[in-house]
Amino acid sequence: MAKHEHVRVAVIGSGFGGLGAAVRLRREGITDFVVLERADAVGGTWRDNSYPGCACDVPSHLYSFSFAPNPDWPRTFSGQRHIRAYLEHVTDTFGIRPHLRLGHEVMRTVWDEEELRWEIETSRGSFSADVVVSATGPLSDPKIPDIPGLADFTGKVFHSARWDHDYDLTGKRVAMVGTGASAIQIVPSIQPKVGRLALFQRTPPWVMPRVDRAISGPERWLHRQLPFTATARRGLLWGIRELQVSAFTKRPDELGLVERLAKANIARSIKDPVLRAKLTPSYRLGCKRILLSNAYYPALAQPNVDVVAAGLKEVRGNVVVAADGTETEVDAIIFGTGFHVTDMPIASRVIGAEGRSLADHWKGGMEALRGATAAGFPNWMTIIGPNTGLGNSSMILMIESQLNYMADYLRQLDVLGGRAALAARPSAVGAWNRRVQARMERSVWKAGGCESWYLDANGRNTTLWPGTTGEFRRETRAVDLSEYEVLRAPAKPSAARRTSRRKEAVQ
């Protein structure tokens, strides 16, 4: 076990959020920090998700930090390999390596109200920190449903985020469970090599064409020589998505035209009317995330693919049984069933000022002031916290806004001086959450007629931001101290006073 180390800031996670926080800390002149990462490399979800066909559905020039532009993106929509390489490049360029503590899984984080600091236990040693920035992200812990009989399945089982590259799918009978963003990339990638593929679909997604192409050499040269051209490209991509927001958040009926285009996309590839009916959603487009693919529907139309329009109900030996009774004999089961988004496991490992875990505090639903701070958890912040997700744009925009908030939070602590902490007032957290939830009621995510991973167990959308990224940036530009209680460490008795107390105790 490593010896105890105290730092000003401890960052948990080294994906986009964690590395962004580390870079911002250094740019603010703060070098007394560590980045605690449970894996053996940086990259977050882009390290963990290495399944066939893995790629981003946000344009490359928008899915990168504004302070670290990449003129050499090879495609308009980049694949996992290039995004992971970009994050490694950011790590090296901004000197983050010395701050990394790889292989350090955070097991428990406890607030010490006497010392006004966090005590952190990891798998390889203990730390303490004045401020903790949790950047574990909502797409970090895979979710596999509790399926009766799964434990007795004699074949291979794995989640899309834990792909087994040593297992050869060639000629195998495979069950793909789920039809989310990962599944629509996996299916066309493995369909040509498997013997037979059964896709278990509870709800069909809306899928639009993916307008992807290679970025030419002259384009990349131009972006290297004239960086403002890449900035302009990013700005155009951002602006287009900002104009789309009102249709998602205020006027879902405006999405009807896009639905017709999506149905035409189905019709182009799926000629069988029975299969086409299975693949046509009955809810408003946008209620679930709109997916992008040119290969998904053609793959489903191939003779070695069966679409089972029902969820997986149970496993009997090597037979998988759907909720509609369909039985399929398979050699492997691949789960594309998402992540623990509204019940993030890290929350059970964070113990706040009242001795309660964050998971217990959020039992009725996640909520955090400006998506960053939770009542009862002083000097604790989260990157990609409650209601900061997006349904149509780049999460990097939201992360950078939260980094602005983090930087001002630390500045405010400096101004306060001494041993101090900021504790979000419950009234401020409640007011912010009520405002967000009220706006959510008009959105397509609540009124679109679907169930999605955006919703928690209580049916509340605690995942997405019901506004533009520009609006969120304005809301997180600076910390409003009226929303916080300033905590001061109790004065420690002088040496003479401590001696006097010891004498009194002896007498």
Side-chain angles (χ1 to χ4, degrees):
M1 297 287 285
K3 66 179 181 180
H4 183 88
E5 182 179 355
H6 179 77
V7 292
R8 185 180 181 193
V9 182
V11 179
I12 306 174
S14 67
F16 267 100
L19 293 178
V23 172
R24 187 57 184 270
L25 289 171
R26 287 190 60 88
R27 297 179 80 189
E28 291 288 320
I30 299 171
T31 57
D32 184 17
F33 70 90
V34 293
V35 179
L36 304 173
E37 169 56 55
R38 66 185 178 185
D40 59 0
V42 302
T45 191
W46 294 105
R47 175 200 60 235
D48 295 341
N49 287 268
S50 59
Y51 58 78
C54 183
C56 189
D57 60 1
V58 175
S60 302
H61 286 275
L62 195 59
Y63 200 77
S64 47
F65 291 119
S66 63
F67 53 78
N70 178 16
D72 290 313
W73 287 117
R75 302 194 65 83
T76 52
F77 290 87
S78 290
Q80 175 264 347
R81 179 168 62 91
H82 294 105
I83 296 173
R84 183 177 179 184
Y86 169 77
L87 290 172
E88 294 280 0
H89 173 74
V90 167
T91 303
D92 291 327
T93 300
F94 291 93
I96 306 305
R97 297 275 176 204
H99 301 278
L100 291 175
R101 302 294 183 270
L102 300 177
H104 284 65
E105 181 176 3
V106 172
M107 311 305 294
R108 186 175 172 87
T109 304
V110 181
W111 176 248
D112 184 335
E113 61 182 355
E114 292 293 324
E115 297 294 333
L116 291 190
R117 68 185 189 184
W118 288 93
E119 298 294 336
I120 306 166
E121 298 175 15
T122 79
S123 56
R124 293 180 62 182
S126 63
F127 298 79
S128 59
D130 299 329
V131 177
V132 170
V133 177
S134 178
T136 59
L139 306 182
S140 57
D141 291 282
K143 178 186 289 185
I144 293 181
D146 185 13
I147 305 295
L150 181 62
D152 299 322
F153 179 62
T154 56
K156 190 69 177 178
V157 178
F158 54 88
H159 191 278
S160 59
R162 301 291 185 267
W163 195 270
D164 188 341
H165 292 278
D166 294 328
Y167 183 75
D168 186 4
L169 291 172
T170 303
K172 298 294 195 303
R173 300 165 298 177
V174 179
M176 179 76 224
V177 183
T179 53
S182 299
I184 72 157
Q185 295 177 344
I186 292 169
V187 165
S189 298
I190 68 174
Q191 175 271 320
K193 67 167 63 175
V194 301
R196 191 142 203 97
L197 178 62
L199 176 66
F200 285 76
Q201 167 193 275
R202 287 194 305 173
T203 310
W206 285 107
V207 181
M208 295 292 290
R210 184 182 180 87
V211 187
D212 185 26
R213 65 173 178 82
I215 298 178
S216 68
E219 285 178 275
R220 297 197 297 272
W221 178 88
L222 183 65
H223 292 333
R224 284 194 300 271
Q225 300 302 314
L226 301 173
F228 75 86
T229 60
T231 302
R233 184 175 192 158
R234 177 186 174 91
L236 178 62
L237 292 168
W238 169 77
I240 291 171
R241 281 154 182 78
E242 291 290 272
L243 293 174
Q244 298 170 348
V245 171
S246 64
F248 288 86
T249 60
K250 299 177 182 177
R251 295 181 288 274
D253 288 344
E254 292 182 356
L255 295 165
L257 173 60
V258 187
E259 276 186 21
R260 290 194 287 274
L261 295 174
K263 289 179 179 178
N265 187 41
I266 300 174
R268 275 193 295 271
S269 299
I270 307 299
K271 304 306 179 185
D272 178 359
V274 175
L275 179 57
R276 192 186 312 148
K278 287 183 180 180
L279 299 175
T280 302
S282 59
Y283 56 88
R284 175 63 77 192
L285 178 140
C287 186
K288 289 173 174 276
R289 188 174 181 94
I290 302 170
L291 307 180
L292 305 178
S293 177
N294 300 324
Y296 181 63
Y297 289 138
L300 297 184
Q302 297 305 308
N304 67 331
V305 178
D306 298 306
V307 176
V308 181
L312 180 60
K313 180 182 179 182
E314 64 176 307
V315 178
R316 300 174 190 158
N318 64 341
V319 174
V320 289
V321 184
D324 65 358
T326 302
E327 297 186 3
T328 308
E329 191 171 351
V330 298
D331 304 303
I333 304 173
I334 303 172
F335 285 96
T337 45
F339 301 84
H340 290 276
V341 175
T342 59
D343 57 342
M344 293 186 288
I346 188 67
S348 64
R349 305 181 183 192
V350 180
I351 311 300
E354 300 173 357
R356 296 172 63 200
S357 72
L358 184 61
D360 184 52
H361 183 72
W362 278 349
K363 191 171 293 182
M366 298 191 303
E367 55 182 38
L369 177 59
R370 302 181 190 276
T373 54
F377 297 82
N379 280 11
W380 180 89
M381 306 187 70
T382 181
I383 305 296
I384 315 183
N387 291 113
T388 60
L390 296 174
N392 75 311
S393 192
S394 172
M395 277 306 302
I396 313 306
L397 301 169
M398 301 296 279
I399 289 172
E400 289 197 30
S401 293
Q402 292 200 288
L403 298 183
N404 290 341
Y405 196 75
M406 176 197 74
D408 195 58
Y409 191 102
L410 292 167
R411 291 189 207 111
Q412 296 294 341
L413 287 175
D414 283 343
V415 170
L416 290 169
R419 286 195 299 156
L422 293 176
R425 296 183 184 276
S427 58
V429 177
W432 172 264
N433 190 62
R434 286 191 295 273
R435 175 182 160 199
V436 168
Q437 293 302 321
R439 295 179 60 180
M440 197 69 72
E441 291 300 318
R442 298 173 57 188
S443 73
V444 69
W445 309 304
K446 283 286 285 186
C450 75
E451 293 183 6
S452 73
W453 58 267
Y454 299 149
L455 308 180
D456 64 16
N458 302 305
R460 291 198 312 159
N461 189 329
T462 57
T463 305
L464 298 183
W465 168 245
T468 65
T469 62
E471 181 184 4
F472 187 76
R473 177 153 295 199
R474 291 190 295 274
E475 295 281 7
T476 53
R477 182 172 291 128
V479 170
D480 180 355
L481 282 181
S482 70
E483 296 180 329
Y484 290 87
E485 178 185 357
V486 177
L487 305 180
R488 292 286 185 181
K492 292 185 177 180
S494 65
R497 180 58 178 160
R498 289 197 298 271
T499 300
S500 174
R501 284 182 177 175
R502 283 197 295 269
K503 288 181 177 178
E504 290 173 3
V506 170
Q507 294 171 353

